[in-house]
Amino acid sequence: MTKILTGGVGKAEVTAVIGKLGIDALDVVSSSDMEAAMKLRSGQADYYLGTCHTGAGASLGVLVGLMGSAACHTFGRSVPTEEEITALLADGKKVFGFSMDQTDVIAPLMARAIAARG
């Protein structure tokens, strides 16, 4: 089972949106950013989806510092395509940030792309 941690101001909404998709292969849990970084680094979690008002700095600040920028990507206020997400996952990105007002669009895209990776 793939474990996704959610964080930031919209973490409850991201958790709920992904939960409603009913993807059995995903375990989605709300988290603090510090807890998420520790779990990702120790292999207790696989991905992190962080939200803030702009989808930039605050959604990933702590995780970029602890995980390194190579593991992180922010969509900011843009909505990625399925192909863009798949390419980022293939490139080894594990930490993603986006604007909380994009949750209904981006969270399902991310969940389905992560689940497709097996």
Side-chain angles (χ1 to χ4, degrees), residues 33-115:
D33 49 5
M34 281 299 290
E35 178 185 26
M38 295 303 116
K39 286 187 175 186
L40 286 163
R41 289 177 73 177
S42 68
Q44 296 175 43
D46 302 293
Y47 297 96
Y48 175 84
L49 304 180
T51 54
C52 69
H53 293 286
T54 64
S59 65
L60 300 181
V62 169
L63 282 109
V64 169
L66 294 175
M67 299 289 297
S69 61
C72 304
H73 180 80
T74 181
F75 297 113
R77 299 210 31 85
S78 66
V79 176
T81 65
E82 186 176 327
E83 293 78 20
E84 289 171 319
I85 293 171
T86 300
L88 289 165
L89 292 170
D91 193 36
K93 304 291 185 194
K94 296 189 173 289
V95 176
F96 297 89
F98 52 92
S99 174
M100 61 187 264
D101 65 352
Q102 303 287 354
T103 296
D104 289 340
V105 177
I106 296 178
L109 285 171
M110 290 298 308
R112 290 184 185 110
I114 289 169

